[in-house]
Amino acid sequence: MLALLLTCGTVAAAADRARDIMLEVEKRALTDSESYQGAIEVINPKGKILQRTWHFWREENRGQNKMLIRFDAPADVRGVALLSLRATNAPAAQWLYTPSNQRVRRLAAQEKAQRFMGTDLTNEDVEEHSVADYDYKIAGEQDFAGRPVYQIRAVCKDPNRTQYSWMVLYVRKDILATTFIEFYVAGKLRKTLLRDEWQQIQETWTPLLVEVKDLVRGSMTRIRASNVQYHIQFDANWFTVENLRRIR
């Protein structure tokens, strides 16, 4: 019995340590607002490259997350926009605007697993997620790309809100930032996400390159960020469904 109690206590302590690490990761990455321009390359399984650009805006306010993405090019997607609004302890609500028919459509929960605008990201991937949504445990420690990292397994507390069985997060020990993610579906590695080319911008460690690989399709998406800014003041109606119809 004593051995069992000690084992349970060790497991609980390990889970607490993993959660504490992820809370610190979230704290260091959290800013009240952010914007950047993204240059996107989608490389299909045959090596063909699709290029797109977008603008990204985000605001945090009293536990609420607001995010807006608007495509700038090429012409066939110019003005397409996604709005994601999330309240505390609630799943994100998402709306997609397509200027070709001037239609704003709220995305259904079952659409979260669909690819976002032909990239290797899904609608779920572009949501903002909270540390509180997951249970964590340390899966190991190793070097990754020449840097010591924690490997932390993350399982969503509500399996109905995610397409993934679990994720393995690679957290750099030097800056406490997630630099690599493995996504598992039905027990199999489905996708990876790499954050690289880190720079400290306005005292926040920022990856200027994100690379997503779909291991089933054999495709890859690269997103390069430029003109990254934090602590921006937005108009009161910026993160609204009405604003989706405005093309800039």
Side-chain angles (χ1 to χ4, degrees):
M1 178 63 72
L2 178 59
L4 177 59
L5 290 174
L6 288 174
T7 301
C8 292
T10 302
V11 171
D16 288 344
R17 182 176 177 227
R19 185 182 65 251
D20 288 344
I21 291 170
M22 293 312 302
L23 285 170
E24 185 62 25
V25 169
E26 183 178 63
K27 178 182 176 181
R28 294 192 183 197
L30 188 62
T31 58
D32 55 3
S33 58
E34 174 188 6
S35 73
Y36 72 85
Q37 294 169 275
I40 303 150
E41 290 183 336
V42 183
I43 306 169
N44 74 12
K46 296 182 179 180
K48 183 178 179 180
I49 299 176
L50 172 67
Q51 295 183 325
R52 291 181 171 173
T53 61
W54 71 27
H55 269 78
F56 174 98
W57 301 272
R58 176 187 56 79
E59 183 179 63
E60 299 275 354
N61 184 21
R62 295 182 180 177
Q64 295 185 342
N65 175 273
K66 305 173 183 179
M67 185 188 69
L68 176 62
I69 295 173
R70 179 175 287 124
F71 284 87
D72 301 316
D76 61 338
V77 296
R78 176 174 170 78
V80 173
L82 177 77
L83 175 68
S84 181
L85 302 178
R86 173 172 177 165
T88 305
N89 300 321
Q94 294 180 315
W95 291 264
L96 184 69
Y97 171 64
T98 48
S100 58
N101 56 12
Q102 297 186 341
R103 181 187 178 193
V104 175
R105 182 173 64 86
R106 182 165 180 170
L107 299 182
Q110 59 268 29
E111 295 180 88
K112 295 292 182 75
Q114 293 182 5
R115 296 174 70 204
F116 176 58
M117 295 298 296
T119 70
D120 291 293
L121 296 164
T122 65
N123 294 323
E124 178 186 350
D125 296 334
V126 298
E127 291 181 19
E128 292 284 334
H129 299 276
S130 170
V131 167
D133 295 337
Y134 296 87
D135 291 318
Y136 300 96
K137 70 176 182 180
I138 295 178
E141 299 181 33
Q142 65 175 62
D143 281 355
F144 178 83
R147 304 277 186 175
V149 298
Y150 298 105
Q151 289 176 287
I152 297 180
R153 178 177 168 129
V155 180
C156 189
K157 294 178 180 178
D158 183 355
N160 295 318
R161 286 170 55 176
T162 182
Q163 66 198 285
Y164 302 115
S165 306
W166 70 82
M167 301 179 294
V168 177
L169 315 175
Y170 290 63
V171 177
R172 278 180 53 172
K173 294 183 179 182
D174 56 344
I175 59 175
L176 282 182
T178 303
T179 193
F180 190 69
I181 306 175
E182 296 173 339
F183 299 85
Y184 290 82
V185 177
K188 296 183 179 180
L189 181 59
R190 177 68 170 78
K191 180 165 57 180
T192 63
L193 184 150
L194 172 70
R195 295 187 176 110
D196 204 357
E197 298 184 9
W198 292 86
Q199 290 187 16
Q200 202 166 23
I201 300 173
Q202 294 175 254
E203 300 182 351
T204 299
W205 282 104
T206 305
L208 298 183
L209 172 65
V210 173
E211 186 174 274
V212 183
K213 293 183 179 179
D214 188 319
L215 303 181
V216 175
R217 294 185 70 251
S219 55
M220 177 170 62
T221 297
R222 291 194 186 101
I223 304 170
R224 293 189 179 275
S226 61
N227 194 27
V228 179
Q229 298 180 58
Y230 297 109
H231 313 301
I232 306 152
Q233 294 294 320
F234 292 106
D235 293 338
N237 67 341
W238 187 255
F239 296 96
T240 62
V241 173
E242 293 74 22
N243 192 43
L244 284 176
R245 299 179 184 276
R246 301 178 184 178
I247 301 176
R248 288 178 173 85

